[in-house]
Structures are given as structure tokens and as C-alpha cells.
Amino acid sequence: MRAILFHEAICPHGVSWSQRYRECVEEAVLSEAVGFDGYAASEQHFANGEATISAPEIFLAHIAARTTRLRLRIASVNFLPFNHPLRVAEQIATIDILSNGRAELGGARSNNPYTLDGFAVNPALTREYRDEHLSIFGEAVTKGVVERDSPYFKIPRRKISPLQAGERHIPVHLSATSLDSHEEAGAMGVGVMSGLSILGWDYVQACITAYNKGADRAQPVAGSLTRRQALFSVGVNCHADRATARAATEENTLRFIEVIMDWMTKLAKRATDYEYFAAIEAIRKNMRNLDYLVDSAPYIMVGTPDDILKQCRKVYEMGIDDVIWRVDGMGYDTNRAALEMLGKHVLPVLHSWPEHPASTQPPQALAA
């Protein structure tokens, strides 16, 4: 099992955005030193300090220059018209070259109504935009030339640089929350980043089953086959004392739960593709109860090393390949202490568990 550090550059009270960016870079460098396998940066807009990375392609290029081993993933590009698919292909290819083959592309439809409204995107069309993005990216990496005439993109025949057709294998992953999106990701031959495990362990299993159903009939559209299932967890903190670990992340995590409850409630009312978000109402009565949220689902992984290993072992046995951990928002010193604790006591155990037979392996970095 691999572990990926995930940052949104959350700014605790009194911390400026510029300070938090610099801290994130140092935490990324530390994560490589303590044994993390990958680093991921989000693309968020208009989040007012809750998630401040809006240009992850620039952020990851800087991380690439400070590290040598970490795989680097955008998690996730908004597959929407304001991110033109040819620009996305150019950006991820540039990161891959500069990092010696360590880039991975993560993409999403977007579940943030503030982003959709800010860029005047119709939420009813996000699935169509996603599919077009993946198809165009696949054409770019396999042929090096793209031509498209669809309702969404008009592209005359153009050669894509710095891509050389067939030269580089760039794994592609989709953020998914609905069962349909999990199955669609599997069928399109891309990895999945499961992001709504707050709905409980049964929902996690249903997402895994849906992804495998699609993956068993995969027709890769993004240039090559990637079959890996990752689980996204927020509020991740590790400490020798369980109560101390939970106290350090409680405010930050519960504030995030409020944010996503707001997003999902709004979108569920606006587009049929997001109606399933209404299911999150089932946890509204416990949204301020951290102990309940931790115990009822793997969405929040916090506690002692043994606590976290117990949750990881359960999702691993269910079929999850990778964990994506948001260690963020607790303050620089606490974040670093958590990374060191995870590296010393948790990651060696995760790395001892064998890969699932059906899963593809991440490509190796190229020689510098």
C-alpha cells in the first residue's frame, strides 16, 4: 500500500497564504524523507483560506525541484472549460519532464458550486466535460496530435508540445464520489480517488465494487491503463496519545465537514447528476461529533499509529491500493510531527503489504 501526502494549503488563524505555501513545500520535502510515496496538491478556487492552491501545476513544478523520489499528482484538475484540455496536457507533460517521469494527472468534475458559478459552468454538463477532457488527453499522449469538433471543444489539428507520442506513461486518476463515477472511472481505464467515504464503511465497499465492475471491462481512454483505487482521508493526524491527536485536528476537520456539507447540499438541488449528494444529510446530526465521524468511516484517520493502521488494514483488505492523507490545517509544527510519526510507525507496515494482483504498478522515475 502506498501513502500520498495531500495539501490544500489550509491557513490556520494568523498564518498568511504566502507563509502556508512555504510551509507546504517544506512539509512535502519532509514527507519524502520519512518515506511517503507521493505528494498531491489540489486545485481549488475562491475558498477563502480553507483551500488556497489554485495553480497546482506551478506548485508541483516547485516540489519537483526539491524532491527526487515522490510521485507528483494534481488532485484534481477541474475538467471544465476554463482548464482547456490541451493546456492540461502541456502542463502535466512539463511537470513529468522536469521531475524525471514522476507526474500523475488527477482530474474531477468539480463538486464546488463556488467554482462552478465563478467560472460560469453549468453543473449539468460536468460529466460531459470530464469525458471530453479524458478523450482529448488520451489522444494527445498517444498521437501527439489532436483534432476535435464537438459541442464542447473546437480544436483544429494541432501538435502538442512537449509531448512525444508514446514516450511517457502518465497515470491518470479520477476523483469520484458517486457509485456511477466509480464504475465509469474503472470502465475508462483510469485510477480512482474515492472521496465520499464519510457516508460509512458500507459505502466504501460499494464504491470499490462499482470501480472493479467497470475496471473488469476497461477500455482505456486516457492513453494507457491505470487500475488503482485510492481512498481520500481528511483530518489525518498521528500521535502517541489518541486524545491529543484528535484535539489537534478537531477544529480544522469539523470546519471542513461544514464546508463540504454546504457544497453538496447546494449542488444536490441544482443538477440531477449530483442528487446523490443529498445522502450526506444522513450524517448532519453528527457533523460536530468528531468521535462519531472517526469511528463510523475512514474519511477521517486520526489517532495513534495502531489506530491508523487498523483503519488502513481494513480498507486494504477491502481492495484499496493507496491512501491519500490530508495532513494540513493543524499548524506547521503539528503537521511535521504527524508526518514524522506516520513515517516512523505507520508507513513501514503499509509498505510491507503486497500489491493487489489486479492493480497496475506506478511507473518508475526516469534517470536524471
Side-chain angles (χ1 to χ4, degrees):
M1 175 175 267
R2 299 187 310 161
I4 299 166
L5 173 61
F6 176 66
H7 273 156
E8 295 185 301
I10 305 165
C11 297
H13 180 71
V15 175
S16 69
W17 293 357
S18 58
Q19 176 185 340
R20 184 66 195 126
Y21 270 41
R22 291 190 293 269
E23 291 175 351
C24 285
V25 172
E26 298 307 319
E27 289 168 27
V29 172
L30 174 62
S31 75
E32 180 173 81
V34 302
F36 275 75
D37 303 281
Y39 178 81
S42 68
E43 181 194 345
Q44 297 289 347
H45 304 278
F46 321 124
N48 298 321
E50 295 295 335
T52 66
I53 298 176
S54 56
E57 71 284 355
I58 298 174
F59 206 91
L60 289 180
H62 186 69
I63 301 298
R66 294 287 306 275
T67 58
T68 60
R69 183 183 54 79
L70 286 177
R71 296 204 60 80
L72 304 170
R73 183 183 304 183
I74 299 177
S76 294
V77 169
N78 295 154
F79 282 159
L80 298 171
F82 63 84
N83 283 327
H84 195 285
L86 297 189
R87 289 290 291 135
V88 172
E90 292 168 341
Q91 290 163 357
I92 200 70
T94 301
I95 296 171
D96 198 57
I97 290 170
L98 294 176
S99 67
N100 296 316
R102 292 186 282 140
E104 302 190 2
L105 175 61
R109 293 168 55 191
S110 180
N111 60 9
N112 184 340
Y114 300 97
T115 295
L116 296 172
D117 291 347
F119 291 104
V121 176
N122 182 349
L125 296 178
T126 57
R127 177 175 271 109
E128 286 80 358
Y129 289 133
R130 177 202 67 188
D131 293 350
E132 281 281 286
H133 265 264
L134 287 171
S135 176
I136 292 169
F137 182 80
E139 192 173 342
V141 298
T142 56
K143 299 178 181 178
V145 175
V146 172
E147 188 173 13
R148 185 63 53 112
D149 184 6
S150 76
Y152 309 106
F153 295 102
K154 309 292 184 183
I155 304 172
R157 184 176 174 84
R158 290 293 184 268
K159 179 175 174 57
I160 311 304
S161 61
L163 279 173
Q164 296 290 332
E167 180 185 40
R168 315 184 81 85
H169 167 44
I170 300 176
V172 177
H173 312 264
L174 275 181
S175 291
T177 49
S178 72
L179 299 182
D180 286 345
S181 291
H182 281 80
E183 184 173 347
E184 290 161 1
M188 290 187 287
V190 300
V192 73
M193 298 177 285
S194 192
L196 199 59
S197 66
I198 193 172
L199 294 183
W201 289 99
D202 289 343
Y203 192 73
V204 173
Q205 185 61 70
C207 290
I208 293 169
T209 300
Y211 178 76
N212 286 329
K213 181 181 177 182
D216 286 343
R217 63 175 195 278
Q219 297 292 323
V221 299
S224 56
L225 175 67
T226 298
R227 180 169 178 166
R228 293 191 74 84
Q229 301 181 69
L231 184 80
F232 173 80
S233 296
V234 305
V236 177
N237 189 23
C238 189
H239 192 279
D241 178 70
R242 180 183 297 131
T244 300
R246 293 191 179 190
T249 195
E250 183 171 16
E251 178 185 356
N252 160 60
T253 301
L254 295 182
R255 186 170 65 248
F256 180 75
I257 299 299
E258 291 178 356
V259 169
I260 65 166
M261 289 285 289
D262 176 54
W263 292 357
M264 293 182 178
T265 299
K266 283 182 169 65
L267 279 180
K269 297 175 181 177
R270 291 176 53 186
T272 57
D273 278 355
Y274 293 97
E275 283 180 343
Y276 69 95
F277 277 169
I280 204 169
E281 291 296 320
I283 61 101
R284 185 175 291 279
K285 65 182 179 182
N286 290 300
M287 62 185 288
R288 299 294 305 172
N289 184 340
L290 183 66
D291 291 338
Y292 170 85
L293 295 172
V294 171
D295 294 340
S296 64
Y299 192 67
I300 303 168
M301 289 195 184
V302 57
T304 66
D306 285 344
D307 291 335
I308 293 175
L309 283 169
K310 182 178 179 181
Q311 286 187 301
C312 288
R313 186 67 194 189
K314 186 170 181 178
V315 299
Y316 168 77
E317 291 179 349
M318 293 167 76
I320 294 295
D321 299 294
D322 306 320
V323 285
I324 302 175
W325 284 336
R326 194 180 79 158
V327 184
D328 202 351
M330 299 181 293
Y332 183 55
D333 292 339
T334 303
N335 294 340
R336 288 180 62 91
L339 294 173
E340 290 171 348
M341 181 72 74
L342 290 165
K344 183 176 182 179
H345 299 289
V346 177
L347 297 188
V349 180
L350 266 57
H351 291 155
S352 73
W353 299 340
E355 293 280 353
H356 297 113
S359 301
T360 59
Q361 304 304 302
Q364 296 296 310
L366 304 174

